[in-house]
Amino acid sequence: MTNDDSTFGDRSERPGTRSSRRGFLATSGVAAAGALAGCTGLFGGDSGDYGAPDYDAADAAMEAMALSEFQGSGAILEGRPAPGGRSMEDLPNLSGELSIYLGGGEGGLYLQLFDVLEEVYPDFAYTSQSKPSSELALQIADEAQAGQLQADLFISIGAGSLGTVLEDGATRPLTEETVDPVPDAFVQPDRNWVGIAGRARAVPYNTEQLDEGDLPDSVMDFPDADPLQSATGWAPTYGAFQDFITAMRLQEGEDATRQWLEDMQAAGIQSYDNEFLISDAISTGELAAGFANHYYALRVLNGSPDRPLDLYFTRGDAGSLVNVSGAALLDRDENAGLADVFVRHLLSAEAQEFFATRTYAYPMLPGVQPVGDLPTIDELETPDIDLTELANTGPTTDLLTEAGVL
Amino acid sequence: MSVSDPVSRRIKRRSRGDVQTLVLALLAGSVAVAVLTPLLWVLNSARSVPLDRFFDILFRRTTLDIFLNTVVLVVAVTALSVLIGVPLAVLTAQTDLPFRRLFTVLAALPLVVPSYIGAFAFVSAFGPRGELADALAPLGVEQIPSIYGLVGSVIVLTLFTYPYVFLTTRASLLSIDGRTVEAARTLNHTRLGAFRRVTLPQLKPGIAAGALLVALYTLSDFGTPAIMQFDVFTRIIYVRTTARQVDFASIFSILLVVLTVVILLAESRIERGGETSAYVNRGTDRPGVVRLGRWRWVATLFPLAVASLALALPPAILFTWLGRSTPELAGAAVDFRWEFTWNSVTASALAAGASVLAALPLAYLSARGDGRLSSLPERASYVGYAVPGVVVGFGLLSVALNATPFLYGSLAVLVFAYVVRFLPQAVGTTRSSILQVDPQLLEAARTLGKPPLVAFRKVVLPLVMPGIVAGAALVFLTSMKELAATLLLRPFGFETLVTYIWQVQEAAAYGQAAVPALVLIGISALSMLVILGRERYDVKE
């Protein structure tokens, strides 16, 4: 999917100077946005990596994005502080033709951001191709082997696929400067990939039925928590839930995980089709708590701000796992510098504000607030897990099947 | 050249003819070899699988499941197509059904809907979060029976392929010798008895020919089972290819090709057996029209029901999407751009041009050559019929990655895949038009002193042009619709109508599929016009 024809227009005039960019950015929606069009985005490769698309009946229309706005809108966003971190204004210009492999799922939203960048930099143009992340990862590995890499940059919807291309030696390191503002947990040790937006496992709970104190610190203690008996929900077919179980397997071992799955069922947990439905059921009091990606509760609240719904994070275990969409530079001779600076733009305050307010993703910059009063990325106590190991899903589905969950 | 010496002149002409034949043979041979490349590569990939692994894959439980799924799907779709197609043919050709001409057209029309678009429409209508589920939800209906799997695949494939049976059966019916039926009636058979004892046996070859076309289509179709999440060979080959599991993909590809060849062999038998009786109208009296009496209007319910499911529902769904200004899943898919149509047209036009050029030497040799060898290249080109698109895609992807990396990711590979797949269509139409040219015409032109190439251009070419054009049109239109090979081989940043529809379908962003799906249906309709125009199906009855 290439860009609009207009971007291939007359390149003879070069208004891409600092001053005009500043003018553009000044009008961008880094100030608080007001309207209440329920702007929601689907985060993550829900449909890309995991097969079944996530259909949310409550997904409201997303307004066509005005090019001068990075920020989304809606009740949930009122009074947002300005994002902190590196502004695009202070980054080097983008110039040249960049080709991007984009992991499927929410290609449309990412492309909107890329289109803004094209708009800001008249000398910059991109071409992209979208396929499911896992499929792209294997394709990239093949292409690297044949010496036929077709793109400069790989943006994956989950860290597992980034691990695949890394193993096959198809990547090259990002510069120190680019990954510098991102917490270490979301940067590959040799800088071969970096997270650009996160989604956190969380425990949405009904604030009228539960206090934060009722919820255990560790996800492993959930089966024994009295207030949670027959009042929790999960969506075992959903890829992000399976990532959560994979993380538990890596941290606690097979046996403890199987036991936990059995105990949760004994405690009367109910299965749902997807995690939006779980979050919605909690907000109406049908359930007291559940397991879901953090942004589903935010979507519920953006539609119905008065519902008694909040998010709880467990401490340092699979229950607060943060998986990321990430970017890796592909090992080609051309465009290495451009791709690196492009990723730096994705990690700018403005782009992170875009991810945070349009997809409710977890921003990778401590200076950018996640939507909805959540702890910032550096305050979350995430489990100590190499995210690329989440690619190992086979044993997880076996385990879920054995335990009678799937 | 001196005219005085007839002997040397003859020798010269002979040798020039030999050179021509040789060049033609070389050309034809290389085309044939090229077309066989993907299949040979697949065979080679399978050969390089270690023997124990080979048998391990072959005798897995899942392999058996996929095989059974495939066979059950083919058998079910074929049987149902006969059950729908034959009665419709009888109703429209042999009874006094009201609006017969309209119903004849309506019964043939579902062929213009690419089956995966039908599948897409059906899933969005009857899927777990489709229109029907949404409509029933307020009524307290929690769940509707799932359309996914075998059931949905059978319904959709039947609805969009039964016209093959309908058309071939109808052709047989129109050529039946009415006097045999009359004779049976005079021998005190009831109408039904006469139909069973006399008409049906004469129809059998026509029915079988249509049924085999349905079976062939079902076997090679990738889009419908993929959308319906039903594990048949095509779907699994695609999944294994994208997962880079060459051993699985190659072994399954071979199994699928073997199944296809079995069906093709059956078809060629029936075609040959049928040519004498089924398709030849011997100009005898048509059997009398069966009067339906009171049932006349009731009988229209059947074609109406079929037409509304196959023809009214998908466009209705598409137009409701069109009316929706908002995508269901914000940001899940990119907006449609006309550039995708242009890409489709470009790749398909290149394929049509290349196919015609490749078909000419094959068809000419086969039509004009002497001996069995000269038709060998032409026969080789028919491999495209036996190799489903997903197998061609997998084979060429492997060739490009391993043998010709400089071609990897180029448009040439995609175009070549179309040529492999659809060359037989161009060869068939070109060959039949060459056969219609009297060779003496060329001789006559030569005696008027024209050099051979000029004679060919002035005399032969105008006569074979209709066949060439029809072949090019068929290749163009079928290439536009090809799904699996396009998905596997499209160059970077090169989206076509079908790849766009596919992505939108995966994201369930139905609203964005309406325009490209309607465009594709329009394109398919054109291809049907070309086919019907050539076959001269008689719809006037």
Side-chain angles (χ1 to χ4, degrees):
Chain A
M1 306 184 197
T2 49
N3 23 37
D4 274 322
D5 291 346
S6 60
T7 55
F8 291 114
D10 189 1
R11 297 186 179 280
S12 55
E13 38 171 0
R14 299 171 56 107
T17 57
R18 185 60 49 106
S19 64
S20 77
R21 184 155 39 122
R22 184 159 306 192
F24 181 94
L25 292 172
T27 59
S28 72
V30 179
L36 35 85
C39 148
T40 58
L42 204 187
F43 194 85
D46 303 342
S47 55
D49 262 3
Y50 304 123
D54 164 323
Y55 314 79
D56 275 351
D59 262 335
M62 178 162 151
E63 283 193 326
M65 177 169 137
L67 283 178
S68 59
E69 276 192 5
F70 286 100
Q71 203 181 48
S73 54
I76 201 170
L77 302 177
E78 284 184 16
R80 256 182 88 69
R86 276 189 309 210
S87 167
M88 266 187 209
E89 284 186 61
D90 306 323
L91 299 179
N93 280 343
L94 290 175
S95 155
E97 292 254 355
L98 187 70
S99 38
I100 304 167
Y101 272 141
L102 181 59
E106 53 169 18
L109 274 171
Y110 279 66
L111 294 176
Q112 284 182 353
L113 177 65
F114 302 169
D115 287 342
V116 174
L117 292 175
E118 265 192 339
E119 204 69 26
V120 175
Y121 298 103
D123 294 341
F124 168 70
Y126 76 91
T127 315
S128 71
Q129 182 165 60
S130 292
K131 286 182 185 177
S133 299
S134 51
E135 191 179 317
L136 272 178
L138 294 163
Q139 184 176 327
I140 288 167
D142 267 1
E143 288 176 1
Q145 214 170 9
Q148 287 292 320
L149 279 167
Q150 305 283 302
D152 311 310
L153 183 67
F154 174 36
I155 292 178
S156 162
I157 228 74
S161 298
L162 295 166
T164 308
V165 294
L166 176 63
E167 276 170 32
D168 285 291
T171 59
R172 67 168 84 210
L174 292 130
T175 58
E176 177 72 55
E177 190 175 358
T178 295
V179 303
D180 181 47
V182 179
D184 286 348
F186 309 110
V187 182
Q188 197 272 334
D190 301 322
R191 300 198 306 271
N192 276 298
W193 57 261
V194 61
I196 53 174
R199 44 190 187 281
R201 294 303 297 173
V203 179
Y205 68 100
N206 183 302
T207 54
E208 283 173 359
Q209 296 184 19
L210 296 175
D211 287 333
E212 214 172 314
D214 297 331
L215 294 160
D217 277 349
S218 163
V219 77
M220 302 311 284
D221 297 334
F222 270 56
D224 307 325
D226 281 337
L228 297 181
Q229 300 303 310
S230 305
T232 51
W234 62 18
T237 56
Y238 182 44
F241 175 84
Q242 295 179 6
D243 284 346
F244 154 61
I245 300 299
T246 306
M248 188 184 291
R249 227 174 20 93
L250 295 170
Q251 254 195 330
E252 312 281 343
E254 299 260 339
D255 294 342
T257 307
R258 186 181 300 110
Q259 192 61 50
W260 184 84
L261 289 168
E262 283 164 5
D263 292 348
M264 282 310 292
Q265 291 178 96
I269 193 158
Q270 296 158 44
S271 286
Y272 282 73
D273 274 351
N274 67 56
E275 297 185 339
F276 177 85
L277 292 177
I278 293 174
S279 305
D280 194 59
I282 293 164
S283 73
T284 59
E286 188 182 318
L287 291 172
F291 299 102
N293 275 347
H294 76 279
Y295 50 87
Y296 288 112
L298 302 177
R299 273 195 227 172
V300 173
L301 285 170
N302 204 37
S304 323
D306 301 329
R307 295 210 183 153
L309 177 66
D310 202 353
L311 286 171
Y312 173 80
F313 294 92
T314 57
R315 305 238 162 119
D317 61 26
S320 58
L321 171 78
V322 175
N323 195 355
V324 291
S325 294
L329 305 189
L330 298 180
D331 198 7
R332 287 173 98 194
D333 293 339
E334 48 259 56
N335 283 338
L338 172 61
D340 183 67
V341 175
F342 183 83
V343 175
R344 212 174 299 171
H345 277 77
L346 299 185
L347 293 167
S348 67
E350 293 87 352
Q352 291 294 307
E353 182 72 4
F354 175 95
F355 290 135
T357 58
R358 292 189 175 268
T359 68
Y360 302 152
Y362 238 99
M364 289 284 112
L365 300 182
V368 181
Q369 283 285 336
V371 169
D373 299 332
L374 301 179
T376 56
I377 194 74
D378 52 345
E379 292 165 350
L380 270 185
E381 290 184 55
T382 54
D384 187 15
I385 282 178
D386 175 0
L387 290 177
T388 50
E389 288 191 52
L390 295 177
N392 186 10
T393 53
T396 304
T397 39
D398 291 349
L399 203 60
L400 287 166
T401 315
E402 272 175 52
V405 177
L406 279 180
Chain B
M1 161 163 105
S2 85
V3 193
S4 59
D5 179 3
V7 177
S8 71
R9 199 171 54 204
R10 202 175 316 145
I11 289 173
K12 275 206 172 116
R13 188 174 342 142
R14 165 79 51 85
S15 65
R16 193 188 299 138
D18 283 351
V19 170
Q20 273 180 8
T21 314
L22 188 67
V23 169
L24 264 182
L26 279 176
L27 270 176
S30 48
V31 168
V33 170
V35 166
L36 287 167
T37 313
L39 189 58
L40 292 174
W41 191 275
V42 169
L43 287 170
N44 191 41
S45 305
R47 217 174 45 97
S48 58
V49 178
L51 211 56
D52 53 343
R53 171 93 176 140
F54 184 96
F55 286 117
D56 171 45
I57 291 174
L58 202 59
F59 296 122
R60 274 177 191 222
R61 179 65 223 246
T62 47
T63 307
L64 181 66
D65 286 343
I66 297 163
F67 180 84
L68 289 176
N69 281 350
T70 307
V71 171
V72 167
L73 180 68
V74 169
V75 170
V77 170
T78 309
L80 274 174
S81 295
V82 169
L83 287 178
I84 293 178
V86 173
L88 278 179
V90 172
L91 272 177
T92 55
Q94 283 215 308
T95 68
D96 61 346
L97 187 81
F99 308 116
R100 258 179 319 173
R101 198 179 303 182
L102 172 71
F103 282 127
T104 303
V105 175
L106 284 184
L109 220 49
L111 271 187
V112 310
V113 181
S115 60
Y116 53 88
I117 290 184
F120 188 14
F122 267 70
V123 165
S124 74
F126 304 117
R129 301 208 162 263
E131 313 280 335
L132 184 64
D134 286 350
L136 293 177
L139 307 176
V141 178
E142 293 266 322
Q143 271 197 314
I144 52 174
S146 174
I147 185 151
Y148 289 115
L150 176 66
V151 175
S153 306
V154 169
I155 292 173
V156 168
L157 279 165
T158 303
L159 278 177
F160 298 103
T161 57
Y162 82 81
Y164 288 121
V165 179
F166 168 77
L167 289 170
T168 53
T169 309
R170 190 184 150 78
S172 301
L173 270 171
L174 295 182
S175 65
I176 276 183
D177 191 338
R179 283 169 301 189
T180 55
V181 183
E182 295 307 314
R185 298 277 293 142
T186 56
L187 293 171
N188 267 347
H189 277 299
T190 58
R191 269 202 181 284
L192 205 60
F195 181 82
R196 216 183 47 232
R197 302 271 310 262
V198 179
T199 314
L200 208 54
Q202 292 188 67
L203 288 187
K204 263 189 189 156
I207 297 174
L212 285 165
L213 283 175
V214 170
L216 211 54
Y217 185 99
T218 304
L219 196 57
S220 66
D221 188 52
F222 157 76
T224 306
I227 290 174
M228 292 296 176
Q229 300 169 23
F230 187 54
D231 289 345
V232 293
F233 277 123
T234 48
R235 181 184 190 211
I236 299 296
I237 291 166
Y238 182 82
V239 168
R240 298 290 186 180
T241 303
T242 54
R244 301 297 191 258
Q245 293 169 303
V246 175
D247 46 5
F248 275 100
S250 56
I251 291 169
F252 289 169
S253 291
I254 289 169
L255 290 175
L256 179 57
V257 170
V258 167
L259 273 177
T260 316
V261 168
V262 168
I263 291 186
L264 275 172
L265 287 176
E267 194 199 14
S268 64
R269 284 205 154 166
I270 291 201
E271 288 255 330
R272 230 169 291 138
E275 265 166 22
T276 49
S277 61
Y279 292 123
V280 183
N281 186 339
R282 287 182 298 288
T284 53
D285 308 337
R286 299 277 322 283
V289 168
V290 177
R291 304 223 172 275
L292 294 168
R294 278 182 312 171
W295 298 100
R296 264 189 79 193
W297 291 95
V298 180
T300 59
L301 290 177
F302 179 51
L304 273 177
V306 174
S308 51
L309 269 183
L311 293 174
L313 186 96
I317 295 276
L318 292 179
F319 281 113
T320 42
W321 294 344
L322 208 52
R324 267 187 220 154
S325 55
T326 59
E328 309 241 321
L329 294 179
V334 189
D335 287 336
F336 176 70
R337 288 207 305 278
W338 288 104
E339 178 196 320
F340 306 151
T341 312
W342 176 242
N343 286 344
S344 286
V345 168
T346 307
S348 305
L350 288 170
S355 298
V356 165
L357 288 179
L360 268 174
L362 298 179
Y364 195 84
L365 253 193
S366 165
R368 288 278 166 267
D370 35 12
R372 307 190 76 164
L373 272 182
S374 56
S375 65
L376 201 62
E378 180 231 353
R379 285 177 185 279
S381 76
Y382 280 78
V383 75
Y385 276 146
V387 188
V390 71
V391 177
V392 173
F394 159 64
L396 282 181
L397 194 65
S398 304
V399 172
L401 275 170
N402 298 299
T404 57
F406 57 94
L407 283 176
Y408 175 85
S410 68
L411 187 57
V413 179
L414 180 62
V415 169
F416 183 63
Y418 292 158
V419 173
V420 171
R421 241 346 235 119
F422 305 124
L423 182 63
Q425 298 174 334
V427 173
T429 56
T430 310
R431 179 171 180 265
S432 59
S433 57
I434 288 176
L435 280 174
Q436 284 163 6
V437 178
D438 190 339
Q440 286 168 334
L441 280 176
L442 196 61
E443 295 297 319
R446 296 291 317 280
T447 54
L448 295 173
K450 300 276 181 207
L453 270 178
V454 175
F456 179 82
R457 209 184 62 225
K458 294 229 163 187
V459 178
V460 181
L461 209 54
L463 288 167
V464 298
M465 212 55 197
I468 292 177
V469 169
L474 280 179
V475 174
F476 175 81
L477 295 161
T478 42
S479 299
M480 290 285 278
K481 289 190 293 188
E482 169 61 45
L483 177 63
T486 314
L487 283 174
L488 289 172
L489 298 172
R490 67 186 192 267
F492 178 84
F494 187 91
E495 297 299 334
T496 68
L497 280 174
V498 291
T499 63
Y500 178 73
I501 288 177
W502 194 251
Q503 289 187 20
V504 167
Q505 177 270 324
E506 281 188 320
Y510 302 131
Q512 290 163 307
V515 173
L518 289 168
V519 171
L520 257 189
I521 289 181
I523 287 164
S524 290
L526 283 177
S527 68
M528 285 303 301
L529 281 179
V530 175
I531 293 167
L532 292 179
R534 285 195 61 78
E535 300 276 346
R536 291 188 198 77
Y537 277 116
D538 174 17
V539 195
K540 291 192 195 64
E541 275 298 321

